[in-house]
Amino acid sequence: MGPAKGPSKENSSLKTLNRMIIATALVATSVHAFAEVTWDAVKKKIADGKSYAFEYKYEGPKGKQKIVYATVVPDHIRSEIKESDDQAKVGAVVVYDASWKQVRVKTGGGMIPRNLDHPDVRDSALIKPMFTLILDQVGTGNKPTSTTAEGDKTRFEFKTGSGRYTIWARANGDISKTERIDGSAKGKEVRDLGPIQWNNNPSTGF
């Protein structure tokens, strides 16, 4: 009786192939688990939000700020500047009530009214609920040109008129970050959003 033969090259190759298939399936499953949020799910979360509040960091043409934001959609908005690279703005509270047809800014020096066409107010989240503004900036009906899983978030890329818009969303459909590079934005504009409280009917007054 001759010596026992080892595994054939054919069997060895088959085992290697099986391992590769299993590894590929595991990677695909992992990516799917992180990328399961869709753009439609993000939009539905926004559509279902009758009110919301969160804290966010802004960096862009208007400087660097940390803002506590609250809105009862669509007519009531409160923005409080907690931090800013312009110390004169720290502590300012900006309140919008649609019935006023203006915003009112409360600072240490008193109350200041601002018309809706003021450069600091026009086309901003001071007078339009944040997520409504983001959808308007992306463009109604605009679909992502790419969707990519990034850890526990999903990144959506959009082409806009003269640039691009990137939105990151958590697995629950909440937007966590936006980055806008667009001619009309006069440079790059970034928002980093903290946890969002939905339908909490927040206070929107002074």
Side-chain angles (χ1 to χ4, degrees):
M1 181 181 294
K5 293 183 179 180
S8 69
K9 289 185 178 180
E10 183 178 348
N11 286 341
S12 179
S13 298
L14 185 59
K15 287 181 179 179
T16 300
L17 180 60
N18 286 339
R19 284 196 294 267
M20 289 175 64
I21 291 172
I22 292 170
T24 301
L26 287 173
V27 170
T29 301
S30 175
V31 170
H32 175 75
F34 286 135
E36 59 183 308
V37 66
T38 64
W39 180 238
D40 284 341
V42 174
K43 291 192 295 182
K44 184 178 187 308
K45 196 78 178 278
I46 294 171
D48 290 343
K50 307 307 179 188
S51 64
Y52 48 84
F54 56 87
E55 186 173 277
Y56 75 99
K57 292 180 181 178
Y58 169 91
E59 183 172 353
K62 297 178 182 178
K64 295 182 180 181
Q65 297 177 347
K66 183 177 182 180
I67 298 170
V68 175
Y69 189 86
T71 179
V72 176
V73 180
D75 294 333
H76 301 272
I77 301 171
R78 183 183 192 274
S79 305
E80 181 177 358
I81 301 175
K82 305 295 286 186
E83 298 176 10
S84 175
D85 54 358
D86 182 351
Q87 287 301 308
K89 294 181 178 179
V90 176
V93 177
V94 184
V95 171
Y96 169 70
D97 183 317
S99 67
W100 298 344
K101 303 190 184 303
Q102 62 176 200
V103 298
R104 296 174 185 174
V105 185
K106 185 177 181 181
T107 67
M111 194 78 71
I112 305 169
R114 284 277 186 267
N115 291 331
L116 302 184
D117 60 356
H118 188 280
D120 290 340
V121 176
R122 184 177 58 244
D123 298 325
S124 77
L126 297 176
I127 59 173
K128 184 176 288 189
M130 176 69 79
F131 298 129
T132 304
L133 176 69
I134 290 171
L135 293 182
D136 286 351
Q137 290 175 338
V138 166
T140 303
N142 196 1
K143 296 181 181 294
T145 56
S146 69
T147 300
T148 309
E150 290 190 354
D152 60 348
K153 296 180 179 64
T154 303
R155 185 183 74 207
F156 303 96
E157 294 274 359
F158 298 86
K159 284 188 177 180
T160 56
S162 57
R164 66 177 177 81
Y165 211 111
T166 308
I167 295 175
W168 287 262
R170 303 180 180 95
N172 64 358
D174 287 358
I175 291 176
S176 63
K177 182 179 179 180
T178 68
E179 181 180 279
R180 182 188 186 199
I181 301 177
D182 195 285
S184 61
K186 300 178 181 178
K188 184 163 75 171
E189 193 174 49
V190 178
R191 303 182 191 93
D192 276 298
L193 284 65
I196 302 166
Q197 300 174 58
W198 292 99
N199 298 314
N200 61 334
N201 196 31
S203 171
T204 56
F206 287 110

